C-alpha cells in the first residue's frame, strides 16, 4: 500500500527555547504539542493517535497520553534515534491510510543542555555492544570522526570541504532569531577551531540544546476542512544499517536504501527536489547523506558542497535554512524533528524571506540516528505542496 497523498502534515511547531532549566520534559512535550495543534487549527481532543521516541519520559507514549489527556486509537513509540521523527511521519501516514486513525500527533522534547542526556525513568538496559566497544574508548564524536577519516582516505575529502557545510548552516542561522549560534563563520574559522576527534573540529559538531518540536499528520478529509495550508506526504523509506559482523563500509549509510524507497513511492528523482533538510549531527553526516541520497556520486560529496551549493536561495541544493543542528537547535540531541519542521515552512513559503527557496514545491527530510561507523537508523520522507 502506497502512502502517497494519503496523509498531510497540517501542523508544525518548534519550541523557541534552547536553555530550559525550569521546564520539565513532559511540559516541553505538552507545549510543542499544543503549538503544533494550534498551527493546524486543531486541539488535543481531536487527536486519536500519538507517536514518540525514547525522549518521551517514563513509559513514553502511555505516560504522555495520560499527561496530555489524549483519547487514542493508535500509538507508536518505536525508536530510531534522531531519525525516528521521519519514521513516525511515514508510520502515521500508513496508519491513516489503513483507517487506524485520522489525526496523529508526533512530539519531541528534552533537556540535555541543563540535565543528563536521558530523561528520568527511561527503561533502557545495557546494550549488547557494551563489553566490546565503550571499553576501548569509543564515543559519539570518535565514531563519526572514524567515518570522516575513512572518507578522506578513500576519496580525498578535505577538512575545508566539510567546513563548507558549517558555513552554509551559519549563513542561514543569522536570519533565525531563535538560533543558538547566529554568527556567520568562515572555512578558516571551522578548520582552526579546536580538534575534537580527528579530523572533526569543534565547529564540525552539532549543538546541545534543550527544547523540542511537534508535528500533526492528518487524513485528507481532515486537511480539506482546515483553514490552513497543509503539506502532502508523498514518500517514505527507512533502513537499519549496522556492523554486519565486521563487513560494514563506514562511508555508506542506510540512506542509500531509505532514500531509494522514498523516491520510488513519491515517483520523483533527486534532481526534482527543491530543498533538503538533512540531519547534521556532524558535518560528515550531511556529506554522506548527500551522496547516499543520490545528489552526487559516492566520493564526490566534498566537491558537491563547494561554491555555496547548500546556501539558499541561490545554491544548487539549499539545505537546513533554519541553521540546522549545527547552528540553530538540536533538541534532546535528536535533530530529525526540526528538519521536517523547516521543510514544512519552506513548502508553505513561511521560511525567512532571506532563505526562502523560490517556488519550493518538493522537499526531502532525512535523518541518520544512532552512530556512523557502527549502527544507525535512517529514515527519509518526501513532502510536497498541497497541490503537488
Amino acid at each position: 500500500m502506497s502512502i502517497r497523498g494519503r496523509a498531510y502534515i497540517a501542523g508544525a511547531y518548534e519550541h523557541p527555547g534552547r536553555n530550559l532549566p525550569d521546564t520539565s520534559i513532559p511540559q516541553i512535550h505538552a507545549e510543542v504539542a499544543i503549538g503544533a495543534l494550534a498551527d493546524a487549527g486543531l486541539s488535543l481532543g481531536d487527536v486519536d493517535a500519538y507517536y514518540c521516541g525514547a525522549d518521551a519520559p517514563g513509559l513514553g507514549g502511555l505516560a504522555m497520553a495520560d499527561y496530555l489527556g489524549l483519547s487514542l486509537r493508535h500509538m507508536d513509540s518505536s525508536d530510531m534515534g534522531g531519525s525516528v521523527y521521519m519514521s513516525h511521519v511515514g508510520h502515521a501516514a500508513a496508519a491513516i491510510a489503513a483507517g487506524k486513525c485520522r489525526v496523529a500527533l508526533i512530539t519531541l522534547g528534552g533537556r540535555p543542555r541543563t540535565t543528563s542526556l536521558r530523561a528520568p525513568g527511561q527503561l533502557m538496559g545495557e546494550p549488547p555492544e557494551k563489553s566490546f566497544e565503550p571499553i576501548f574508548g569509543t564515543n559519539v564524536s570518535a565514531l563519526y570522526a572514524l567515518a570522516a577519516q575513512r572518507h578522506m582516505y578513500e576519496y580525498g575529502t578535505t577538512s575545508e570541504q566539510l567546513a563548507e557545510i558549517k558555513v552554509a548552516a551559519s549563513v542561514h542561522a543569522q536570519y533565525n532569531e531563535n538560533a543558538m549560534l547566529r554568527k556567520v563563520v568562515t572555512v578558516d574559522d571551522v578548520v582552526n577551531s579546536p580538534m575534537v576527534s580527528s579530523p572533526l573540529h569543534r565547529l564540525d559538531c552539532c549543538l546541545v540544546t534543550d527544547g523540542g518540536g511537534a508535528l500533526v499528520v492528518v487524513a485528507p478529509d481532515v486537511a480539506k476542512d482546515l483553514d490552513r495550508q497543509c503539506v502532502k506526504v508523498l514518500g517514505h523509506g527507512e533502513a537499519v544499517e549496522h556492523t554486519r559482523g565486521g563487513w560494514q563500509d563506514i562511508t555508506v549509510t542506510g540512506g542509500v536504501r531509505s532514500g531509494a524507497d522514498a523516491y520510488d513511492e513519491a515517483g520523483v528523482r533527486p534532481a526534482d527536489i527543491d530543498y533538503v533538510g538533512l540531519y547534521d549531527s556532524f558535518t560528515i553526516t550531511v556529506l554522506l547523506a548527500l551522496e547516499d541520497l543520490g545528489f552526487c556520486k559516492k566520493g564526490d560529496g566534498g566537491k558537491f558542497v563547494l561554491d555555496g551549493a547548500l546556501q539558499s536561495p541561490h545554491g544548487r541544493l539549499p539545505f537546513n535554512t533554519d541553521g540546522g543542528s549545527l547552528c540553530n537547535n538540536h533538541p534532546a540531541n535528536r535533530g530529525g524533528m526540526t528538519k521536517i519542521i523547516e521543510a514544512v515552512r519552506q513548502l508553505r513559503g513561511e521560511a525567512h524571506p532571506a532563505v526562502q527557496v523560490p517556488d519550493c514545491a518538493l522537499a526531502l527530510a532525512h535523518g541518520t540516528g544512532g552512530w556512523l561507523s557502527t549502527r544507525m537508523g535512517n529514515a527519509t520522507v518526501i513532502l510536497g505542496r498541497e497541490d503537488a
Side-chain angles (χ1 to χ4, degrees):
M1 178 184 66
S2 172
I3 64 170
R4 179 173 180 172
R6 305 292 294 275
Y8 291 75
I9 296 178
Y13 181 79
E14 179 183 4
H15 201 291
R18 305 292 182 262
N19 189 33
L20 302 168
D22 300 318
T23 307
S24 71
I25 292 173
Q27 185 178 347
I28 294 172
H29 279 267
E31 289 177 359
V32 297
I34 292 168
L37 287 163
D39 182 56
L42 296 167
S43 69
L44 289 169
D46 295 308
V47 176
D48 61 354
Y50 178 67
Y51 293 73
C52 64
D55 56 283
L59 287 175
L62 295 179
M64 290 309 305
D66 183 15
Y67 186 78
L68 295 171
L70 301 176
S71 179
L72 301 178
R73 300 169 55 209
H74 188 73
M75 187 178 76
D76 185 343
S77 57
S78 58
D79 197 70
M80 292 177 66
S83 64
V84 69
Y85 313 100
M86 287 82 168
S87 175
H88 280 165
V89 168
H91 292 187
I96 289 169
K100 299 294 184 182
C101 58
R102 297 178 75 244
V103 178
L105 171 66
I106 308 169
T107 67
L108 156 71
R111 294 172 54 209
R113 189 167 184 83
T114 53
T115 62
S116 64
L117 296 181
R118 289 182 185 169
Q122 283 186 318
L123 303 178
M124 288 180 140
E126 293 182 349
E129 71 271 14
K130 180 182 178 182
S131 299
F132 303 95
E133 294 173 11
I135 60 172
F136 293 104
T138 57
N139 58 34
V140 174
S141 58
L143 291 173
Y144 283 77
L146 188 63
Q149 195 72 265
R150 185 67 188 183
H151 200 277
M152 289 180 170
Y153 173 80
E154 291 279 358
Y155 303 110
T157 307
T158 68
S159 292
E160 288 76 13
Q161 290 171 338
L162 289 177
E164 293 282 359
I165 297 167
K166 174 72 173 193
V167 170
S170 73
V171 168
H172 298 152
Q174 68 179 311
Y175 302 109
N176 182 351
E177 64 180 13
N178 292 321
M180 189 169 181
L181 300 178
R182 298 184 67 185
K183 178 183 177 182
V184 177
V185 301
T186 67
V187 169
D188 285 343
D189 290 333
V190 179
V191 299
N192 290 322
S193 64
M195 187 70 74
V196 172
S197 185
S198 181
L200 298 178
H201 300 80
R202 178 188 292 167
L203 294 184
D204 285 299
C205 307
C206 65
L207 303 168
V208 176
T209 68
D210 299 342
L215 299 163
V216 180
V217 184
V218 303
D221 62 311
V222 176
K224 183 178 179 181
D225 291 338
L226 295 176
D227 186 20
R228 186 68 170 104
Q229 183 181 1
C230 297
V231 168
K232 188 182 292 186
V233 180
L234 297 175
H236 161 256
E238 57 189 61
V240 174
E241 185 67 33
H242 51 73
T243 59
R244 300 177 182 272
W247 293 101
Q248 181 186 29
D249 180 347
I250 63 174
T251 69
V252 177
T253 73
V256 172
R257 292 180 287 141
S258 68
D261 287 347
Y263 289 133
D264 285 347
E265 187 163 50
V268 301
R269 302 170 300 164
D272 298 321
I273 302 298
D274 300 309
Y275 170 82
V276 292
L278 302 178
Y279 196 170
D280 50 345
S281 48
F282 297 85
T283 52
I284 185 62
T285 317
V286 174
L287 188 139
L288 295 187
L290 289 168
E291 295 177 347
D292 293 346
L293 293 169
F295 295 109
C296 60
K297 293 180 181 179
K298 175 55 66 178
D300 285 353
K303 299 174 184 176
F304 182 85
V305 302
L306 297 177
D307 304 319
L310 303 180
Q311 295 182 30
S312 187
H314 303 301
R316 72 171 68 94
L317 187 66
F319 102 121
N320 295 8
T321 46
D322 61 342
S325 299
L326 288 169
C327 295
N328 170 34
N329 192 13
H330 192 211
N333 289 330
R334 289 166 168 258
M337 173 66 77
T338 52
K339 307 305 172 286
I340 305 173
I341 291 172
E342 183 67 4
V344 169
R345 294 189 191 115
Q346 282 286 349
L347 291 166
R348 287 174 169 176
E350 296 173 354
H352 190 284
V355 296
Q356 175 66 52
V357 176
D359 194 29
C360 186
L362 284 173
L364 177 150
H366 175 76
T368 304
W371 304 275
L372 296 185
S373 301
T374 55
R375 55 204 61 84
M376 69 191 85
N378 301 264
T380 310
V381 290
I382 295 175
L383 307 172
R385 285 193 308 226
E386 197 166 13
D387 57 359

